[in-house]
Amino acid sequence: MAERRLLVLFGSQTGTAQDTAERVGREAQRRHLRCRVEALDSCDVANLIHEPLVVFVCATTGQGDPPDNMKMFWRFLFRKNLPAGSLCQLDYAVLGLGDSSYPKFNFVAKKLHKRLLQLGGNPLLPVALGDDQHDLGPDAVVDPWLIALWDKILALYPLPVGLEIISPDVRLPPKYTLHYLPEDSPHPKSDLLQPAAPQAAPCKLHPFAARMVSNQRVTAQSHFQDVRLIEFDIAGSGITFSAGDVVMIQPQNCPEDVQQFCQLLRLEPHRRFVLEPTEPGTSLPPLLPQPCTIQYLVTHYLDISCVPRRSFFELLAYFSTNELEREKLQEFSSAQGQEELYSYCNRPRRTTLEALWDFPHTTCAIPADYLLDLIPRIRPRAFSIASSMLAHPERMQILVAVVRYKTRLSKPRRGLCSTWLASLNPEQGDVRVPLWVKKGGMKFPADPATPVIMIGPGTGVAPFRAAIQERVALGCRGNCLFFGCRHQSKDFYCQTEWEELVTKGFLTLFTAFSRDQEEKVYVQHRIRENRKLVWELLSSENAHVYLAG
């Protein structure tokens, strides 16, 4: 009998496709299939020719682009020299997650499905096109498609004699078990974030612990928004970057939230543990030291401030000893309860920690073994680099708007990374921030004589500050910037820097301060007023236009 094994590969930007892929993995487990769930770029694409059965779950980002964790796979798959029948032994299915308000709705899933077909793959089902815009979200498409998928798979790979599908009422084992170490066991000396020079350029699995040099508020104290210009020392890191590149920062939870979480779940923050995979062959979570403390796990790893997904409530229901709480949790995890869940979680941006407060009987019964199944890991955040290495060698600067807004919940919502960064004070000691650099989507002209028109309202000006610094260091004069903000006196970032460059003849600057007069004035008004100059630069000098918001 054919080996009953399934590979689930995902391409995910915000975590939704990964969450759905893990759901497919759990449903496979219930059908006694040997199943691996991996990011597309973590798997060796050349091995696809040996895989009998693969389900692809992929999101579409931006203008029809593949997510970051499937870009290498994407390039490989579309190589011209791949033989037409190379995947003829592969049974596959593609599940797409997208948003129909974008013109290239589910473009990646459609294109992947077509390419696998060209390479000889056998589709089990038509491609599924989950849509965020549907009243019930992508699950409106995903739920019935998965039912059809399991019918097809079980027809090809029937259940072994004597085995039944594990009922949804039965809780699956956790991915890892947590073994507490005796209180008196010796502590290892190593610190995970060694600022030592890495072997290669820092990356997601090996971030560089950069020292924060300064953290300066660049908006007036009376302004509603707190915006910071933050500088890091990257000497000895091996990091290089150019204008348009992006820095990825790995944030952490605030101490008050960590303390509350530990109290709610009755966890001892200083207890140390080692993780053991339940299934042999499962790799340990990256960036978690072994042994590890509960405090470290909750501070650096578990995303207790994210808005919880349907799968969170589904797993939580299994631990509930309280009938009322269990009924509510089961409703939130059912297809019919999705509108209710949206109103409870997504619309008010309720966090995982706040949801746990609302189910106290269930929360104190959560076994520690299930923490990594229940709560996703903290995702890194991307910021445009706002400085040039030519102007500031061994330094990197970013412009950060601290995210804070109101919903119907009494407590204001706060951005995890921006709030954490704003709270750090390098004057009070050695402050380290884990980071690495990624190539950005903006490429500035190689020919220094080519003029550039940059339109950067608000913090959108960050990549243009890097570009202007870089171009000025190379002696380029054709720099034209349209900058917009609310008030000249409150949020005109880098004002003195721009004015100096204007005086020296390196920059042509147009500003729009929307609230400084009766009529609101925005950058588009300034572009219209200066249309002659803009057209002249475009038609006669082949200027490049860049826009960031």
Side-chain angles (χ1 to χ4, degrees), residues 11 14 16-17 20 57-62 64-65 67 95-110 128-134 137-139 141-142:
T14 60
T16 310
T20 305
V57 184
C58 42
T60 296
T61 68
D65 303 314
L95 165 50
L97 297 171
D99 183 322
S100 58
S101 66
Y102 283 81
K104 293 202 165 175
F105 171 57
N106 264 316
F107 181 75
V108 170
K110 293 171 187 170
L129 306 174
D131 184 7
D132 255 351
Q133 292 297 317
H134 192 284
D139 289 339
V141 167
V142 175

Side-chain angles (χ1 to χ4, degrees), residues 323-368:
E323 201 176 332
L324 270 176
E325 287 186 11
R326 187 168 58 247
E327 277 173 13
K328 195 68 193 167
L329 291 165
Q330 285 168 341
E331 183 190 343
F332 282 159
S333 52
S334 70
Q336 302 74 37
Q338 289 316 288
E339 222 160 305
E340 180 93 11
L341 178 60
Y342 189 85
S343 303
Y344 171 71
C345 261
N346 303 63
R347 196 169 289 122
R349 310 303 296 165
R350 194 183 302 272
T351 68
T352 294
L353 181 58
E354 288 168 329
L356 291 170
W357 273 109
D358 286 347
F359 295 92
H361 298 91
T362 308
T363 297
C364 65
I366 297 170

Side-chain angles (χ1 to χ4, degrees), residues 381-414:
R381 303 323 199 240
F383 295 91
S384 291
I385 297 172
S387 61
S388 163
M389 294 187 95
L390 299 181
H392 303 276
E394 305 199 322
R395 292 282 200 260
M396 176 197 287
Q397 298 177 352
I398 55 173
L399 198 59
V400 179
V402 181
V403 177
R404 187 176 190 271
Y405 58 96
K406 283 287 293 171
T407 65
R408 63 179 169 78
L409 301 177
S410 58
K411 231 175 130 182
R413 309 291 89 196
R414 293 175 186 276

Side-chain angles (χ1 to χ4, degrees), residues 126-200:
V127 57
L129 306 174
D131 184 7
D132 255 351
Q133 292 297 317
H134 192 284
D135 287 347
L136 298 174
D139 289 339
V141 167
V142 175
D143 290 356
W145 186 83
L146 280 177
I147 290 169
L149 177 72
W150 294 122
D151 286 348
K152 290 273 185 192
I153 289 176
L154 288 180
L156 289 170
Y157 300 93
L159 283 164
V161 179
L163 284 181
E164 305 265 311
I165 295 175
I166 299 169
S167 154
D169 301 333
V170 175
R171 180 170 91 197
L172 292 171
K175 200 170 178 183
Y176 305 101
T177 42
L178 222 98
H179 293 290
Y180 282 117
L181 299 176
E183 300 274 5
D184 51 4
S185 62
H187 283 239
K189 290 277 176 283
S190 76
D191 174 21
L192 184 72
L193 272 176
Q194 289 286 338
Q199 302 311 302

Side-chain angles (χ1 to χ4, degrees), residues 45-66:
V45 199
N47 285 340
L48 270 186
I49 56 168
H50 306 303
E51 290 295 338
L53 181 61
V54 181
V55 174
F56 297 87
V57 184
C58 42
T60 296
T61 68
Q63 304 302 312
D65 303 314

